[in-house]
């Protein structure tokens, strides 16, 4: 993490710009799920009060210090990495790391919510509406240099969750009846997404 005076001035400028532009709160309107603000190593952010336990915080410290164990990676792309692990040896969580680098991407994250912040806000919105969805339990950020930033969104694992991609693949063959079954499955998901949109909830993650 860049600790130089130049880096400090850059971070201060970004934060002041965000305040001036009155960026919308990442917590969302009518947010009633209590969070605690804390720092874990070089990462600062929010953790659900109910998860702010010594076991969880120590587990996060160990996981970060160990270098984000490669054997826990579920998916990886150019700007996102997802880990699945049991931080406190009791409950499985998904840790999503989002990478933001370059002046333009950094300016965009100042002007509007980025993918990590949207995942946090959307998940909490679904939870408040009683929809069985992985609950976001933490959101952290860390400046890795003057022009690069990392966000980390942690969500609970959802027991017995259905993987849509795998469900579609399990319908083998290309007979008319099998194609119809695949089509029904995809249409039902599309209708569900449409109902979410009609309630001002958007599936962004």
């Amino acid at each position: 993490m860049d600790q130089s005076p130049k880096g400090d001035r850059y971070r201060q400028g970004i934060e002041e710009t965000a305040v001036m532009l009155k960026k919308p709160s990442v917590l969302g309107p009518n947010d009633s799920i209590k969070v605690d603000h804390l720092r874990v190593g070089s990462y600062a952010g929010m953790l659900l009060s109910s998860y702010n336990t010594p076991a969880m915080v120590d587990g996060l410290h160990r996981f970060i210090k160990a270098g984000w164990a490669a054997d826990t990676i579920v998916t990886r792309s150019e700007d996102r990495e997802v880990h699945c692990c049991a931080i406190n040896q009791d409950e499985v969580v998904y840790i999503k790391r989002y990478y933001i680098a370059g002046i333009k991407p950094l300016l965009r994250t100042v002007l509007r919510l980025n993918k990590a912040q949207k995942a946090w806000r959307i998940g909490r919105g679904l939870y408040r509406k009683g929809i069985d969805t992985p609950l976001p339990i933490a959101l952290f950020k860390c400046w890795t240099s003057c022009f690069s930033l990392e966000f980390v969104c942690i969500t609970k694992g959802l027991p017995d969750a259905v993987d849509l991609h795998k469900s579609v693949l399990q319908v083998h063959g290309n007979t008319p009846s099998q194609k119809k079954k695949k089509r029904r499955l995809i249409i039902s998901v599309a209708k569900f997404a449409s109902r979410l949109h009609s309630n001002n909830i958007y599936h962004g993650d």
Side-chain angles (χ1 to χ4, degrees):
M1 184 175 179
D2 190 340
Q3 298 292 344
S4 67
K6 183 178 178 181
D8 290 338
R9 286 197 300 273
Y10 181 81
R11 287 190 291 276
Q12 183 179 357
I14 288 288
E15 292 166 359
E16 289 174 353
T17 303
V19 171
M20 286 190 297
L21 292 171
K22 296 183 179 179
K23 182 177 176 180
S25 169
V26 70
L27 290 175
N30 305 316
D31 206 305
S32 60
I33 308 171
K34 187 178 178 182
V35 298
D36 294 330
H37 294 265
L38 74 160
R39 178 176 289 275
V40 180
S42 58
Y43 293 79
M46 301 173 285
L47 177 67
L48 288 192
S49 298
S50 57
Y51 280 80
N52 190 6
T53 63
M56 175 60 75
V57 175
D58 290 345
L60 285 172
H61 268 290
R62 288 194 303 270
F63 189 73
I64 294 172
K65 191 174 181 179
W68 304 90
D71 59 343
T72 64
I73 295 176
V74 178
T75 61
R76 176 187 280 167
S77 63
E78 185 178 345
D79 62 352
R80 191 179 79 152
E81 185 175 284
V82 181
H83 297 257
C84 178
C85 56
I87 288 293
N88 59 359
Q89 305 301 320
D90 182 37
E91 187 171 21
V92 173
V93 297
Y94 285 85
I95 301 176
K96 304 174 184 178
R97 303 175 69 193
Y98 297 82
Y99 308 109
I100 302 170
I103 295 176
K104 286 186 178 180
L106 286 173
L107 287 175
R108 280 198 295 269
T109 202
V110 168
L111 297 172
R112 58 178 181 264
L113 299 180
N114 58 48
K115 291 180 180 179
Q117 293 167 326
K118 286 179 181 178
W120 168 270
R121 186 167 177 174
I122 290 168
R124 292 164 72 82
L126 292 170
Y127 184 82
R128 286 198 304 273
K129 290 182 178 292
I131 296 174
D132 195 14
T133 186
L135 174 66
I137 62 175
L139 180 67
F140 295 101
K141 73 173 182 178
C142 172
W143 286 94
T144 53
S145 75
C146 290
F147 300 103
S148 60
L149 179 64
E150 180 182 327
F151 275 84
V152 176
C153 183
I154 303 176
T155 63
K156 286 179 59 177
L158 192 62
D160 304 318
V162 176
D163 186 301
L164 177 60
H165 183 65
K166 290 181 180 178
S167 297
V168 173
L169 291 179
Q170 283 173 358
V171 183
H172 299 291
N174 288 305
T175 66
S177 63
Q178 290 164 332
K179 287 181 179 179
K180 188 175 181 179
K181 187 175 181 180
K182 289 182 182 180
R183 192 177 298 113
R184 282 201 306 267
L185 177 59
I186 294 170
I187 290 173
S188 66
V189 173
K191 287 181 177 178
F192 175 69
S194 177
R195 288 199 296 272
L196 291 181
H197 292 178
S198 67
N199 284 280
N200 295 317
I201 296 175
Y202 298 89
H203 58 296
D205 193 58

